[in-house]
Amino acid sequence: MDLTAMKPILNSVIFSVLGIIILLLAYVLIEKITPENTWKEIVQKNNTSVAIVFGALIIGISMIISAAIHG
């Protein structure tokens, strides 16, 4: 296989890893900004409303990262 055939696959892997890293950084930033520990609220206290809001926030950030990567 020549390198030109592998270039789209390599680009896809690089941008996927970059998007996941940015999403994790955004999660850490959100965790620092919020007054409560969101993971403890969701898992230990079974707070469904926090889980829904946090899930929507993660989906929104993911859409922004996707749009930024795809141009």
Side-chain angles (χ1 to χ4, degrees), residues 45-66:
K45 296 182 182 179
N46 294 328
N47 194 337
T48 307
S49 60
V50 172
I52 291 171
V53 169
F54 202 71
L57 191 67
I58 292 295
I59 290 172
I61 292 170
S62 299
M63 291 172 65
I64 291 170
I65 293 169
S66 174

